[in-house]
Amino acid sequence: MGARDLEVMNHILLANDELNHFISSLLELTKLDNQGLRVHLQAKDINQLLETIVLKHRFAAQGKQIQVITHFEPLFPIKIDADLISKVLSNLIDNAIKYSPENTRILFETREVDSFVEISIRDQGIGIPENELQNLFSRFYRVKNETTLKVKGTGLGLYLSKYFIEAHHGTIRVLSVPETGTEFVIRLPLNQKGANASDSRAQPGLKTIFSKLKNNLKKEKDHA
């Protein structure tokens, strides 16, 4: 197998890994089909959860000489679905690493604000133009520039992140300045109603999503 063949194979494998990441998240939505997403709430230490996620991304950050800094305010445990919130936070730090140049910093902070726990992640990356921000959480939407074209993705990560946060009765917002950096701010309520919560919103067109994912994979292979 020649060098060109190895390059093509690596390209396809990377594309498959990216798609599989999003497919695994979508499979959770298929469990109850149109009945909505059930959120299994348990008391968890947000700071401890963040420390685990930062540790998992340590090598990816080190590969670009990116320093991940954490400033965690002491917090009481809050009721969350740790699996869903982990997916959200992992997606945000993964994006921060992907879209940040070498020798920069990513800052994770937690604090209590009013009746919420606030989590912020701020990078020194390429930033997002103001006219793109309103569509950032839309399904399949990706900011288009020279840097993002080099990074594989399906445009579902932030859409699902917003979906999962709102299922916790929380909010997620973004602040960004091109060529300076981006900050995502999540707020989760200190007190959730009941032991479990369910999100009765309609499912996000699963057949359409899987069809588009399949087409995206085909395009990646054709492009390779």
Side-chain angles (χ1 to χ4, degrees):
M1 185 177 289
R4 173 57 181 167
D5 294 328
L6 288 172
E7 182 180 348
V8 170
M9 285 295 296
N10 185 56
H11 183 86
I12 292 173
L13 288 172
L14 287 174
N16 280 334
D17 287 343
E18 191 72 25
L19 292 176
N20 286 336
H21 171 72
F22 289 109
I23 289 172
S24 65
S25 296
L26 288 170
L27 286 176
E28 299 195 29
L29 299 180
T30 67
K31 293 178 182 178
L32 296 177
D33 197 10
N34 292 323
Q35 298 177 28
L37 174 69
R38 180 161 292 278
V39 180
H40 300 284
L41 300 176
Q42 292 183 320
K44 294 291 182 180
D45 184 331
I46 281 289
N47 290 340
Q48 187 175 29
L49 187 67
L50 279 166
E51 287 173 354
T52 300
I53 291 168
V54 169
L55 185 61
K56 288 181 179 179
H57 289 80
R58 179 183 59 184
F59 293 111
Q62 288 178 344
K64 296 180 69 174
Q65 290 80 52
I66 293 175
Q67 185 180 5
V68 180
I69 302 169
T70 57
H71 290 161
F72 296 157
E73 180 180 299
L75 299 169
F76 288 108
I78 62 171
K79 286 186 176 181
I80 58 170
D81 186 316
D83 185 49
L84 295 181
I85 296 301
S86 291
K87 290 179 186 298
V88 173
L89 298 173
S90 291
N91 179 64
L92 293 180
I93 190 173
D94 186 56
N95 284 347
I97 293 170
K98 285 180 179 178
Y99 297 112
S100 292
E102 295 185 351
N103 299 304
T104 55
R105 295 181 177 184
I106 297 172
L107 175 63
F108 256 121
E109 292 184 298
T110 63
R111 63 188 68 86
E112 185 176 321
V113 180
D114 299 325
S115 58
F116 294 88
V117 165
E118 187 173 274
I119 305 165
S120 66
I121 176 170
R122 184 165 66 250
D123 63 43
Q124 298 174 324
I126 59 175
I128 304 166
E130 185 177 357
N131 64 324
E132 304 261 22
L133 293 177
Q134 62 181 355
N135 297 315
L136 199 61
F137 296 101
S138 300
R139 198 187 327 164
F140 298 114
Y141 187 80
R142 297 193 72 205
V143 176
K144 294 179 177 62
N145 57 47
E146 291 184 6
T147 302
T148 59
L149 289 174
K150 298 175 184 177
V151 178
K152 306 302 176 186
T154 62
L156 286 173
L158 290 176
Y159 170 77
L160 290 172
S161 294
K162 186 173 185 286
Y163 189 94
F164 294 154
I165 293 298
E166 290 183 347
H168 284 76
H169 307 291
T171 62
I172 179 170
R173 59 188 175 90
V174 58
L175 307 168
S176 191
V177 179
E179 307 303 326
T180 299
T182 300
E183 179 180 20
F184 285 90
V185 181
I186 294 170
R187 283 193 174 187
L188 296 169
L190 289 170
N191 297 303
Q192 292 277 5
K193 295 180 180 179
N196 287 290
S198 62
D199 179 1
S200 59
R201 290 175 296 167
Q203 295 295 332
L206 293 174
K207 288 185 178 180
T208 300
I209 290 176
F210 282 115
S211 175
K212 288 191 177 184
L213 285 172
K214 184 177 180 181
N215 290 335
N216 286 347
L217 177 57
K218 185 178 183 302
K219 288 178 182 179
E220 292 285 355
K221 290 180 179 179
D222 292 342
H223 179 72

